[in-house]
């Protein structure tokens, strides 16, 4: 039996058994659905269902590799002509996927090799091969607790630092889900946000990421050779920057501050001067009355460079097209992710805070749904496979041609990742 037939049967059995546990998305009958089958990597879209049962029966019958529904609402979701779908509005969708940003653990678990000469390395692939200068790579991207935690922190940051204080949303407006692979989805459901154009969504993403902030508009200015900064009492980005500065100046060691300022691109003398004046500066910003910012050697240009670095620390790393494109499809909650075999798990904010996808102790939240009692034999087909840590156990690293015996859930994960086959 081929791997895809085997996995499809497993998915089918899962949907049959767990039918009652698959949640219904709000306004289900107004959503467009999309599926990628096991047989070929093509998205079948423009499908609509009048009720949840129709959808569940489709899952049981076809057991697709990937299952999606639209963030948008349409009066005719199954109409394949975008102009005749009867667009009614779109939720605001945020995708935080560790694949889109560099996490320090990538050098531990990501691998690449050149498709031309076979040169290999750790971490993200380089722009061009250091040996043959060609541009074609195979990138084996893996996951670990560390990077999934970084993605989780980004979602929590977005909710607590932006969506609740700046937009007045409450937990009732958020639908949070583990994506089943490398990150989390956050959906904001609200009638006002549903009516935003793509252009407004782009501006919203800029705001959340801290792109194109004008420090002059926030109040930074030079007057009579003095630099004036801004005050904590002004909400929005001004307040966020001041709070972040207070946090860094209060809780970081000199060495940590030095590393941060090196990352911001500031030179040695300036960093020395900053560390020397940091207590006075902390007092200035905390008092919230004076906004005269005095640090020797800090020009207006230095302040801007420094503040740009701080903004980067505060802003959220959002996958922009997902939030801006109103016709995008999003992975359906409760479905299985065909690249891992994990469940796309919906979570409340409280659940998210303690959620650990690769080692979740709460049975109701555990996204690793396949039982791990049975030991299964599989053969590694990728030239090398990084260590996988699941349920506190380490598996691998493995080399091509190795025949391994692993628990059922690990076998499914490696088969879904397409790095192994059934021998
Ligand atoms: Zn090469
Ligand atoms: Zn990692």
């Amino acid at each position: 039996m081929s791997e895809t037939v085997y996995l499809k049967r497993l998915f089918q059995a899962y949907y049959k058994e767990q039918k009652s546990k698959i949640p219904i998305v709000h306004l289900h009958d107004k959503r467009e659905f999309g599926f990628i089958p096991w047989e070929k990597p093509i998205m079948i879209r423009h499908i609509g269902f009048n009720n949840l049962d129709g959808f569940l029966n489709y899952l049981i019958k076809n057991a697709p590799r990937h299952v999606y529904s639209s963030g948008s609402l349409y009066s005719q979701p199954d109409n394949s002509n975008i102009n005749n779908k009867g667009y009614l509005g779109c939720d605001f969708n945020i995708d935080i996927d560790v694949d889109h940003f560099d996490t320090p653990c990538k050098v531990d678990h990501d691998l690449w090799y050149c498709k031309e000469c076979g040169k290999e390395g750790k971490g993200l692939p380089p722009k061009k091969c250091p040996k043959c200068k060609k541009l074609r790579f195979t990138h084996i991207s893996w996951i670990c607790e560390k990077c999934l935690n970084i993605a989780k922190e980004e979602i929590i940051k977005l909710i607590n630092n932006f969506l609740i204080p700046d937009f007045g949303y409450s937990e009732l407006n958020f639908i949070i889900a583990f994506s089943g692979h490398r990150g989390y989805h956050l959906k904001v459901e609200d009638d006002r946000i549903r009516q935003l154009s793509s252009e407004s969504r782009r501006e919203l993403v800029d705001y959340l990421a801290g792109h194109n902030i004008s420090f002059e508009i926030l109040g930074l200015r030079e007057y009579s050779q003095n630099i004036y900064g801004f005050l904590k009492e002004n909400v929005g980005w001004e307040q966020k920057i001041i709070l972040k500065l207070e946090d860094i100046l209060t809780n970081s060691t000199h060495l940590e501050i030095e590393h941060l300022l090196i990352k911001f691109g500031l030179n040695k003398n300036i960093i020395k001067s900053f560390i020397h004046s940091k207590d006075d500066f902390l007092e200035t910003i905390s008092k919230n009355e004076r906004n005269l910012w005095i640090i020797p050697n800090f020009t207006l240009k230095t302040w801007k460079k420094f503040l740009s670095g701080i903004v980067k620390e505060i802003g959220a790393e959002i996958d922009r097209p997902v939030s801006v494109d109103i016709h995008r499809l999003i992975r359906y909650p409760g479905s299985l992710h065909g690249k891992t075999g994990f469940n796309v798990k919906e979570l409340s904010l409280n659940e998210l805070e303690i959620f650990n996808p690769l080692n979740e102790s709460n049975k109701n939240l555990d996204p690793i749904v396949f039982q791990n009692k049975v030991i299964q034999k599989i053969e590694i087909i990728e030239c090398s496979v990084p260590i996988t840590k699941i349920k506190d156990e380490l598996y691998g690293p493995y080399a091509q041609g190795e025949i391994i015996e692993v628990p059922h859930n690990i076998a499914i994960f490696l088969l879904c990742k397409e790095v192994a086959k059934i021998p």
Side-chain angles (χ1 to χ4, degrees), residues 18 39 49 69 82 87 93 111 132 190 193 233 252 273-274 337 374:
Q18 302 296 323
E39 293 76 15
F49 296 99
S69 70
I82 213 83
Y87 174 74
N93 293 291
L111 306 167
C132 74
D190 164 56
I193 217 163
E233 65 188 10
S252 307
S273 171
F274 183 83
H337 194 305
V374 199

Side-chain angles (χ1 to χ4, degrees), residues 41 173 199 300:
N173 298 104
E199 194 43 46
L300 194 63

Side-chain angles (χ1 to χ4, degrees), residues 4 13 111 119 128 184 273 295 307 316 325-326 387 389 405:
T4 52
L111 306 167
K119 168 96 185 144
K128 60 179 178 185
Y184 292 84
S273 171
I295 292 181
L307 291 171
D325 179 1
I326 51 173
I387 296 179
K389 189 178 175 194
E405 289 189 355

Side-chain angles (χ1 to χ4, degrees), residues 396-411:
Y398 301 119
Q400 196 165 34
E402 236 180 291
I403 293 182
I404 56 171
E405 289 189 355
V406 287
H408 186 48
N409 58 5
I410 306 299

Side-chain angles (χ1 to χ4, degrees), residues 286-349:
S286 302
K287 273 192 179 158
N288 198 28
E289 42 191 35
R290 298 186 299 146
N291 59 352
L292 181 60
W293 287 3
I294 305 166
I295 292 181
N297 302 323
F298 263 58
T299 62
L300 194 63
K301 206 175 150 197
T302 318
W303 276 112
K304 283 186 188 172
K305 200 171 192 178
F306 170 75
L307 291 171
S308 299
I310 296 290
V311 164
K312 260 200 175 151
E313 295 292 305
I314 303 169
E317 298 261 8
I318 296 176
D319 184 0
R320 180 172 282 267
V322 175
S323 298
V324 173
D325 179 1
I326 51 173
H327 298 297
R328 193 93 167 192
L329 301 180
I330 299 122
R331 215 167 265 287
Y332 195 89
S335 69
L336 297 174
H337 194 305
K339 283 268 178 194
T340 55
F342 300 163
N343 195 226
V344 181
K345 202 82 206 167
E346 271 192 357
L347 305 157
S348 70
L349 188 52

Side-chain angles (χ1 to χ4, degrees), residues 44-76:
I44 302 164
R45 59 186 297 180
H46 307 299
I47 297 177
F49 296 99
N50 292 328
N51 51 48
L52 183 63
D53 265 347
F55 169 63
L56 295 176
N57 290 336
Y58 183 99
L59 292 188
I60 294 167
K61 184 166 175 245
N62 300 288
R65 183 168 197 186
H66 302 285
V67 181
Y68 308 89
S69 70
S70 61
S72 284
L73 307 165
Y74 304 101
S75 58
Q76 291 182 53

